[in-house]
Every structure is written in C-alpha cells, then in structure tokens.
Amino acid sequence: MPADASTSPASPPLTQRQEARRRRILHASAQLASRGGFDAVQMREVAESSQVALGTLYRYFPSKVHLLVATMQDQLEHMHGTLRKKPPTGRTAAERVAETLMRAFRALQREPHLADAMVRALTFADRSVSPEVDQVSRQTTVIILDAMGLDNPTPEQLSAVRVIEHTWHSALITWLSGRASIAQVKIDIETVCRLIDLTDPEHT
Amino acid sequence: MPADASTSPASPPLTQRQEARRRRILHASAQLASRGGFDAVQMREVAESSQVALGTLYRYFPSKVHLLVATMQDQLEHMHGTLRKKPPTGRTAAERVAETLMRAFRALQREPHLADAMVRALTFADRSVSPEVDQVSRQTTVIILDAMGLDNPTPEQLSAVRVIEHTWHSALITWLSGRASIAQVKIDIETVCRLIDLTDPEHT
DNA sequence: CGCTAATCTAGAACAAGTTTCAGACTTGAT
DNA sequence: ATCAAGTCTGAAACTTGTTCTAGATTAGCG
C-alpha cells in the first residue's frame, strides 16, 4: 500500500515544505486537542504553534472540523498499524472484533481529550466534510473486517459492520460526555458484536 | 402522567408569562431550525422572534445546544403521543421496534432541517448538557420498550435497546450528512433490531 | 398600597471561527 | 537568471455564541 493511499485522490502533489507545514499543523492540532479537547483546539493557536499564518492554516484545512477529522485520519492510520502487529486472538469473529474495538477504546482512554476532539468533530461534521468523514468510516470498516478475517463479506455482514460502527461512535460519545461508564461501553460493544455471529453464513 | 413529568425536577414553578416565554422561545427555535437547520438557529434571531431579550433567552436556555436539546425533548413528546395512538402492528418485537423507528424516521424526513438541528445538537452536547441529553435518551428508551411491549426488560434486553439507540442516532447522522441513503438507514435499523430476537428470553 | 428581591430589557463588550487583503516569498518554466 | 503564477504572511474585519451591566418591570408579601 502506497504511503498516501488514504489522502485525497487527485490533489496536486505537495512540495516538501508544504508537506512539512501540513505535518506541523496536524501535530499542533493533536497536541492542543490532547490538552483540552475540542474547545482547546483554537485555530489561532494551531496556527501559531505550527508557525503558519492563519490564512495558510485555512488553506490547508478549510475549517476546524476539517482539521480535526484529518487529525483523526492520521491517528487512525497509526492505530491500524499498531493493530496489525498484534492481531486479535479471539476464537470467533465476534470475539476478535470486540477485542479489537476494546483495544482501540483503551488507546482512546489514554488520551480522552484527544478522543473528545476527534469524535465530536466527526459527528458534528456537516455535508462539506462528507468525503473526509467517509474516508474515516472506510478506514474503520477495514479495521473491523480485518479483525473478522474476511475478504469477501456478504451484504448482510457489511450491514452488521455498519451497525457496529454506529454503535462504536455513539457509545464513544456517551462515554465522552460522561453519560456512560467504561464498563457500559464494553457491554454495548460486546452486545453489538453478537450480530456478527448472527450474519455468519456458516452459522450453525 | 403529569404534564411536566419531563422537565427538570426541582426547578421553581414558572409563572404564566414565564411559561409563555418558554413556549415562544421553543417555537421560534423549532421554526428557525425547520428553515435552515443547526446554523439557522441563531441566538439573536431566536430572541427577536420570541420577543425576549438575549439575556433572557440565556437565562432560560444556557446555551444554543441546551436550547436545541430542549426543542428535541419537546418534539419527542409529540412523537411519543402520536405513536401511542397508532401502536405498531408487527408480529415480533423486532418488527414492531423497526416499524416504530421507521415511522419516526419518516416524520424526521418531513422536516430534515429540524432533524439536523436537533440531532447535531444532541451529539455535540458536552457534559454540561448531560442531564438534558440523558432525559432525551430515557424518553427514547421508553418509546422502544413500548414498541417491544415489555414492562420488565432483562439487562440483556436493555443492552440491546441501548445498541439500537446508538444505531438510531448514528444512522440519522450519516443520513443527515448525506453519507447514507434512506434505504441504507432502513437496512441498518432492521439489522440492529434483530438483536432483539437474539436477547428474547423465550428465544426458541 | 408600598417594599424588596427577582426578573427582564437593551445594548455594549468579548471570544473564537472564518474571511479578506495587500504585499512578500517560492516555484516552475523558459 | 527572469518572469508569471501561485503561495504564504500579518493584520484587520466580520460573524455568531456568550457574558456583562445599568436601569426598568414584575412578583410576592406584609
């Protein structure tokens, strides 16, 4: 897989300095987000931290939500790499998916503010961010299918995966806003993962 | 059920004029939301439309998100009333829940901008709005349990209901942001509702 | 009725996301 | 090396959510 397989398809290639600027911006964004979540990512501060003019920041990321969704794409790639190194060990597909999601969840717990910023941006995004949000969604789908160990999912299984993603996002939100405990998120994830067995074509 | 069963518990009773102001505000909010969604609900405009000073608006609803979540509570009550009059007719609990949610979905489709405003507010809400968001969640739970026809759900069934709510909210978001079609939302709802049969204690 | 505390109003002020603009700097092609 | 086109900078301006203030109004009470 080429290194930039996940970036937007037909945008003009960036010079090194531009690539460096982009990285500095994403780094500053993640850093500010880690401190204080969504609200702490202030565009003026991101611009200053990354040594870029405000107008330039807006040229790279046309809104705060775009910026945070891009930050999420970035983090997701990390996560996917990490997960690949240690694949889940569960016996059934449902177990492996639940295990994978719980592992991701634990990673998010280590940086709850960052999680807050990314997830809030993701669900708050309007139509103008659809392509980017979709990209995040596809990446998540790949991670789940990986955990299931499937290359040719049936439409039913894809539905189940979509529902799992819905649950994952929404459960994260309830956790981040303090309306659900970590234990409850775990239960919800395990509950929804049972859908996988239900849609397994070899279901006994 | 007393008329104000859903409002915050120990707040001082409102005078008639205050009650009227509150209604005017909620009405203006819903009206502006119906026009242009979340962004069209501007606090100055809400204040003007409802003939109330900006400061007063903020006394009644401490933020735009509070206002929109309250608007959602209001609409949910309507919806619940409407649904009660014509209970779903499906044979299994899963069918009835799916039928109920699809009916609610159709209602939202009639006012997509209003739906946008309410759902975005709901998922964007931070901890300071937790009580109100929780109230909406409980109301939704009641609607689903009603459709299932249960008074004493098992913990497993409550988990399933929570997962259904997660899916419901998240599927709405993907629809509102144009990343999923109406048909896909329908499929997702039907898929997640199969969890109900799975957790039915009398499951054969 | 007259008092006091709470509430409401109009409007200014502030905060942070976003836009705009003139001028300086880079880049790529010749 | 030079020119044109595109990019970056710094700063100001604009928008909308939110807060604050001083004075008018209202509600509840003796």
Side-chain angles (χ1 to χ4, degrees), chain B residues 7-201:
Chain B
T7 65
S8 46
S11 53
L14 301 182
T15 69
Q16 287 198 311
R17 309 186 56 182
Q18 287 175 321
E19 192 53 52
R21 269 189 210 105
R22 200 187 128 86
R23 295 259 115 246
R24 285 206 307 278
I25 292 172
L26 286 175
H27 184 252
S29 165
Q31 188 149 331
L32 287 169
S34 301
R35 292 224 200 308
F38 188 89
D39 294 332
V41 180
Q42 301 194 354
M43 299 304 268
R44 279 171 248 257
E45 281 207 48
V46 173
E48 196 175 349
S49 295
S50 49
Q51 308 229 257
V52 135
L54 191 54
T56 305
L57 172 53
Y58 273 95
R59 172 186 282 276
Y60 280 71
F61 301 97
S63 77
K64 174 169 172 172
V65 168
H66 280 86
L67 170 58
L68 285 172
V69 170
T71 303
M72 176 145 202
Q73 290 183 233
D74 208 39
Q75 303 289 120
L76 253 192
E77 273 171 41
H78 259 240
M79 167 88 14
H80 195 181
T82 307
L83 289 173
R84 285 231 158 153
K85 283 184 211 143
K86 298 196 175 184
T89 62
R91 242 178 310 94
T92 69
E95 280 172 14
R96 289 194 297 277
V97 172
E99 190 183 335
T100 299
L101 292 181
M102 282 308 295
R103 207 182 284 175
F105 184 35
R106 257 172 259 121
L108 292 180
Q109 285 172 47
R110 266 173 250 128
E111 294 287 359
H113 288 304
L114 177 56
D116 171 79
M118 297 189 305
V119 174
R120 298 260 294 287
L122 205 64
T123 60
F124 190 59
D126 65 6
R127 297 180 114 83
S128 71
V129 204
S130 286
E132 289 81 359
V133 174
D134 228 44
Q135 165 66 26
V136 167
S137 173
R138 271 196 301 280
Q139 178 90 356
T140 308
T141 302
V142 167
I143 290 177
I144 294 176
L145 288 177
D146 259 25
M148 291 172 68
L150 284 183
D151 332 82
N152 287 92
T154 67
E156 275 214 315
Q157 287 174 321
L158 286 176
S159 299
V161 170
R162 263 208 317 283
V163 169
I164 289 172
E165 285 185 45
H166 288 321
T167 301
W168 166 244
H169 283 142
S170 179
L172 278 182
I173 287 187
T174 59
W175 168 65
L176 288 167
S177 61
R179 303 199 318 279
S181 64
I182 291 176
Q184 208 153 48
V185 171
K186 185 163 190 274
I187 291 175
D188 290 353
I189 289 176
E190 286 163 356
T191 299
V192 75
C193 282
R194 294 168 64 182
L195 267 180
I196 291 179
D197 297 335
L198 204 62
T199 57
D200 183 347

Side-chain angles (χ1 to χ4, degrees), chain A residues 102 105 109 175 180-190, chain B residues 159 162:
Chain A
M102 282 308 296
F105 185 33
Q109 283 168 217
W175 168 64
S181 63
I182 291 176
Q184 207 153 47
V185 171
K186 185 161 190 274
I187 291 175
D188 290 353
I189 289 177
E190 284 164 357
Chain B
S159 299
R162 263 208 317 283

Side-chain angles (χ1 to χ4, degrees), chain A residues 15 17 41-44 54-55 58 63-64:
Chain A
T15 68
R17 306 186 56 181
V41 181
Q42 301 194 355
M43 299 303 268
R44 280 172 246 258
L54 191 54
Y58 273 94
S63 78
K64 174 169 170 169

